[in-house]
Amino acid sequence: MEKLIYASLKSIGAYIPSKIVTNDDLSKIVDTSDEWITKRTGIKERRFAEKNEATSDLATKAAKLAIARANLKPSDIDAIIVATISPDYFCMPSTACVVAHNLGIIGKPAFDISAACSGFIYLIYLAKSLIESRAHKNILVIGAEKLSSITDMQDRSTCILFGDGAGAVVIGTTDDKNLSILDVNCASNGQYQDFLMTPGCGSRNPTNDKVLQERLQFIKMKGNEIFKLAVKTLTQDVVEILEKNALSKDSIDFFIPHQANLRIISAVGEALGFPKEKIALTVQKYGNTSAASIPMAINELYEEGRIKQGSKLLLDAFGGGLTWGSAILAFNGQ
Ligand code: COA
């Protein structure tokens, strides 16, 4: 009988743009204040990419680090997949194709997926299947966003929330189940599609003067409604995946939720009973970076020396679509 192989997280890398935008900077553009933003969101600052930097540029930098930390060369990568809602180009080519080109990878599958803030977990779900079905051996998985390019800087209810950045991982193989991606759960409910959306410039509302005048190319959000659903769904998601795998929360070394709002993270963390030191927290520095937020948070823990080979991570995300997902996995890098 053929030996079982498991998908495994081999490395992590991130790229964080250097330009810091503080709450005080935003209060010069829209009617808001550091006090309001801090109290409602916990965000103190976020990073914006430079004007001439696209999502693929951030993604490429994160990817180079992840490939090097996996002790691989770009030519060892069998597939490149990118989760983003702020691709370089509206329809084509995909950001993944641009990243593959930047890395000198030719002749391998490269494509993007769209699952908003749950995008990174959707990619883990996909990469696990591709590895365990033996289609590929080393998959480059990237969550990358230049949300500043799709954020309405005249809308104080959204422009305070989002930031730019990228995180990347290499998913490879292991024969040790304890070092594998144990389980991934992904779900959606399109009934709430209008809670978080960019209403314009797609086939529903093609680009025209009216669409642009109404600024429908930018993110629109029903903040209050999202908030309530996010807390409930993120909590339930974790309860379900732990139960399904007969694991207790004490077996988890780090709970790494999508970084949207400190109040959401605290409410979910408290409901689940995770101690503060086990909960990843970067939203105060980077804001909400959608598909990039979870790999950026993993990278931060890694660079602080807190994640080691064998550390058990519980990922949990929620976003536009609506989409949500969770994953339990061991870190299997050096
Ligand atoms: N500065 C000052 N006042 C602001 C403001 C800002 N940046 N944004 C909104 N307000 C005002 C509103 O105009 C409103 O004023 P009004 O009462 O006079 O009408 C008031 O603050 C309350 O607005 P509301 O939208 O009810 O605030 P809130 O407590 O729900 O907080 C969010 C707003 C966006 C911070 C919060 O809803 C949230 O974080 N939602 C989840 C968003 C999210 O995580 N999205 C991504 C999911 S992946």
Side-chain angles (χ1 to χ4, degrees):
M1 207 177 79
E2 212 175 7
K3 213 169 147 193
L4 281 178
I5 57 159
Y6 302 101
S8 182
L9 185 78
K10 295 288 186 141
S11 67
I12 179 76
Y15 175 69
I16 292 147
S18 54
K19 185 171 159 190
I20 296 174
V21 178
T22 64
N23 291 344
D24 285 337
D25 292 334
L26 292 180
S27 70
K28 291 177 193 131
I29 304 171
V30 289
D31 181 14
T32 190
S33 64
D34 174 47
E35 192 196 350
W36 194 95
I37 302 171
T38 306
K39 194 165 157 221
R40 305 285 176 124
T41 70
I43 299 168
K44 296 299 286 182
E45 54 189 47
R46 69 287 293 143
R47 303 294 177 101
F48 280 5
E50 298 298 330
K51 280 210 164 62
N52 63 354
E53 271 182 316
T55 296
S56 66
D57 297 316
L58 316 185
T60 302
K61 287 178 177 151
K64 282 184 175 164
L65 197 53
I67 294 170
R69 285 178 176 166
N71 292 317
L72 296 173
K73 300 184 292 303
S75 55
D76 298 319
I77 298 296
D78 304 316
I80 302 97
I81 36 181
V82 175
T84 187
I85 51 166
S86 47
D88 283 24
Y89 303 105
F90 172 49
C91 298
M92 57 186 160
S94 70
T95 301
C97 279
V98 181
V99 173
H101 170 72
N102 292 347
L103 294 171
I105 302 173
I106 300 173
K108 304 288 168 65
F111 56 95
D112 295 354
I113 66 123
S114 167
C117 303
S118 312
F120 184 73
I121 293 183
Y122 269 58
L123 287 190
I124 300 276
Y125 173 72
L126 181 60
K128 177 173 160 65
S129 316
L130 290 170
I131 296 275
E132 293 179 359
S133 65
R134 297 176 189 263
H136 297 298
K137 283 204 174 93
N138 291 304
I139 302 181
L140 179 62
V141 161
I142 307 171
E145 302 286 7
K146 186 181 179 185
L147 294 182
S148 59
S149 68
I150 56 165
T151 300
D152 187 348
M153 295 309 289
Q154 295 178 11
D155 175 3
R156 68 176 181 173
S157 69
T158 54
C159 76
I160 55 155
L161 298 172
F162 301 109
D164 303 339
V169 298
V170 173
I171 308 284
T173 61
T174 181
D175 52 16
D176 183 350
K177 200 170 182 197
N178 287 320
L179 289 176
S180 73
I181 297 170
L182 193 64
D183 196 16
V184 192
N185 172 51
C186 288
S188 69
N189 187 348
Q191 181 190 345
Y192 302 112
Q193 57 192 276
D194 61 336
F195 278 20
L196 192 49
M197 70 188 324
T198 48
C201 304
S203 60
R204 177 77 59 199
N205 293 307
T207 311
N208 59 37
D209 287 348
K210 187 167 177 286
V211 163
L212 296 179
Q213 261 160 26
E214 291 174 6
R215 306 179 74 76
L216 300 183
Q217 71 273 37
F218 294 122
I219 299 173
K220 307 279 179 226
M221 187 183 71
K222 296 187 177 172
N224 248 306
E225 288 87 335
I226 287 270
F227 190 98
K228 286 178 221 146
L229 267 183
V231 172
K232 197 170 137 209
T233 310
L234 286 164
T235 307
Q236 203 173 313
D237 219 19
V238 168
V239 170
E240 279 172 16
I241 199 166
L242 286 174
E243 253 175 37
K244 186 175 154 213
N245 290 281
L247 288 171
S248 84
K249 70 173 192 328
D250 301 332
S251 64
I252 301 298
D253 294 310
F254 289 101
F255 174 50
I256 307 178
H258 168 52
Q259 305 285 311
N261 182 316
L262 178 62
R263 285 160 58 214
I264 297 179
I265 297 170
S266 303
V268 173
E270 241 165 64
L272 294 168
F274 280 109
K276 274 203 175 99
E277 60 278 11
K278 280 193 173 186
I279 305 176
L281 202 58
T282 59
V283 69
Q284 71 286 9
K285 293 192 292 187
Y286 306 138
N288 180 347
T289 58
S290 192
S293 94
I294 288 180
M296 281 167 69
I298 300 174
N299 184 67
E300 187 121 333
L301 291 170
Y302 174 77
E303 291 190 350
E304 288 168 1
R306 296 169 70 197
I307 287 184
K308 305 236 158 38
Q309 188 176 34
S311 296
K312 278 259 167 13
L313 315 181
L314 172 54
L315 318 182
D316 195 18
F318 178 88
L322 295 175
T323 56
W324 61 96
S326 55
I328 298 175
L329 50 98
F331 183 70
N332 190 18
Q334 298 300 319

